[in-house]
Amino acid sequence: MHYIVFDMEFNQDLSSLQDTKVKWSKYPFEIIQIGALKLGSDFNRVAAFNRFVKPTIYGKVSPFITQLTGITTEQLANEQAFPEVYECFVDFIGDSDSVFCVWGMSDIKELFRNAEYHNLDSKHLPIKHINLQPYVSKYFGLPAKNMLRLENAVEALHIPVIYSFHDAFSDAYYTAEILKKIYSPSIEPCFYEPSFVPSRPRQHKREIDYDKLIQQFEKMFNRKMSKEEQEIIKLAYLMGKTRQFLK
């Protein structure tokens, strides 16, 4: 078994969407870099992977992404597209019993979404995974919902900063170092099911009791509300529920 510690950089520039026939929300965040380390069960490095990806969903890299990561449209022009890089990544993973190790679940979700978008077979991707973020919070005795940023976790664990953040390979390296620092047998892999959609409890439709609403106003003003006043109260209540007048 191996740990595949990986990170990705994404791009989404709606102004350069290549195909506008489909609703934009149907498109994944496009992967433009995959960085990964393969660790053995002893956490020693076995292999490394670092590839940039030529975008095909969006024609250019968003200025925000360039500012964050340093990746430019021109830099990716001569790289291979996602299907080719994906096949190389699958070959790098190799062992089907491997465990993905990530900092946050977005990388795993978008990897499967990109594979699906390009009609690529995802059966060779590990479904066992460890998301280190909540374990680091637990390690420091923080509330479960208090998720640290990667930079903060590296600093708190006194891991030497030798690479810039917001680079897929660098972030994968730091994630691997965090795994080595906090690992214990209690950290067990979970299973990821790409097609799973959590069910939401059905909300029961609730009706407004206008009689009680009017009675409350009559109690406040110590008099009966006229028909016109009642209609104004009802309208004002409905308009307030829209929250459109919040500052």
Side-chain angles (χ1 to χ4, degrees), residues 4 7 19 29 40 50 60 127 145 164 174 182 200:
I4 307 299
D7 189 89
D19 183 1
F29 286 95
N50 187 20
K60 64 180 182 180
I127 58 172
K145 291 185 178 181
S164 298
Y174 289 123
I182 72 164
R200 296 181 179 179

Side-chain angles (χ1 to χ4, degrees), residues 9-240:
E9 299 299 336
F10 306 106
N11 176 54
Q12 185 180 55
D13 185 81
L14 297 179
S15 67
S16 64
L17 187 61
Q18 299 293 81
D19 183 1
T20 58
K21 296 178 182 179
V22 181
K23 189 177 179 181
W24 68 266
S25 60
K26 298 294 183 181
Y27 294 99
F29 286 95
E30 186 165 24
I31 297 169
I32 56 175
Q33 186 190 11
I34 304 175
L37 293 173
K38 179 187 285 190
L39 307 180
S41 56
D42 56 0
F43 299 124
N44 286 325
R45 184 190 296 195
V46 175
F49 184 93
N50 187 20
R51 291 288 301 274
F52 290 94
V53 183
K54 181 179 180 178
T56 56
I57 300 176
Y58 303 100
K60 64 180 182 180
V61 177
S62 160
F64 170 77
I65 297 300
T66 296
Q67 184 178 17
L68 182 69
T69 67
I71 301 173
T72 65
T73 305
E74 294 73 23
Q75 177 185 343
L76 301 178
N78 296 320
E79 301 292 341
Q80 290 184 306
F82 181 76
E84 289 75 28
V85 177
Y86 174 80
E87 292 303 324
C88 292
F89 187 48
V90 169
D91 288 341
F92 166 80
I93 293 169
D95 188 356
S96 60
D97 191 40
S98 294
V99 176
F100 272 152
C101 184
V102 291
W103 187 260
M105 288 300 296
S106 60
D107 293 281
I108 291 179
K109 291 177 181 178
E110 292 304 325
L111 177 60
F112 277 93
R113 286 190 70 200
N114 275 259
E116 180 181 13
Y117 173 82
H118 289 281
N119 296 313
L120 301 172
D121 192 349
S122 61
K123 68 181 180 181
H124 297 296
L125 294 177
I127 58 172
K128 290 190 294 184
H129 71 277
I130 296 172
N131 174 15
L132 281 175
Q133 257 190 321
Y135 287 108
V136 169
S137 295
K138 184 178 180 180
Y139 182 86
F140 286 110
L142 299 172
K145 291 185 178 181
N146 189 344
M147 299 293 185
L148 295 177
R149 295 173 60 195
L150 183 63
E151 298 95 314
N152 299 134
V154 167
E155 180 182 6
L157 290 167
H158 306 293
I159 296 171
V161 177
I162 59 176
Y163 302 115
S164 298
F165 291 97
H166 302 297
D167 169 86
F169 186 77
S170 299
D171 291 352
Y173 165 82
Y174 289 123
T175 304
E177 292 301 302
I178 290 171
L179 175 64
K180 297 174 187 178
K181 282 271 188 178
I182 72 164
Y183 179 79
S184 72
S186 64
I187 298 180
E188 296 184 351
C190 299
F191 286 88
Y192 178 69
E193 174 49 61
S195 60
F196 174 72
V197 178
S199 59
R200 296 181 179 179
R202 186 174 181 179
Q203 298 292 327
H204 295 288
K205 188 175 180 180
R206 303 177 68 181
E207 297 182 356
I208 301 170
D209 191 333
Y210 286 111
D211 289 338
K212 286 188 176 180
L213 178 64
I214 299 303
Q215 288 173 13
Q216 181 61 32
F217 272 86
E218 290 179 339
K219 182 179 179 181
M220 291 166 58
F221 287 93
N222 196 27
R223 67 175 178 84
K224 287 285 185 181
M225 297 287 109
S226 67
K227 289 290 184 181
E228 183 179 2
E229 288 172 329
Q230 290 182 27
E231 293 304 316
I232 292 174
I233 291 169
K234 293 176 183 179
L235 180 60
Y237 183 83
L238 291 173
M239 292 177 70

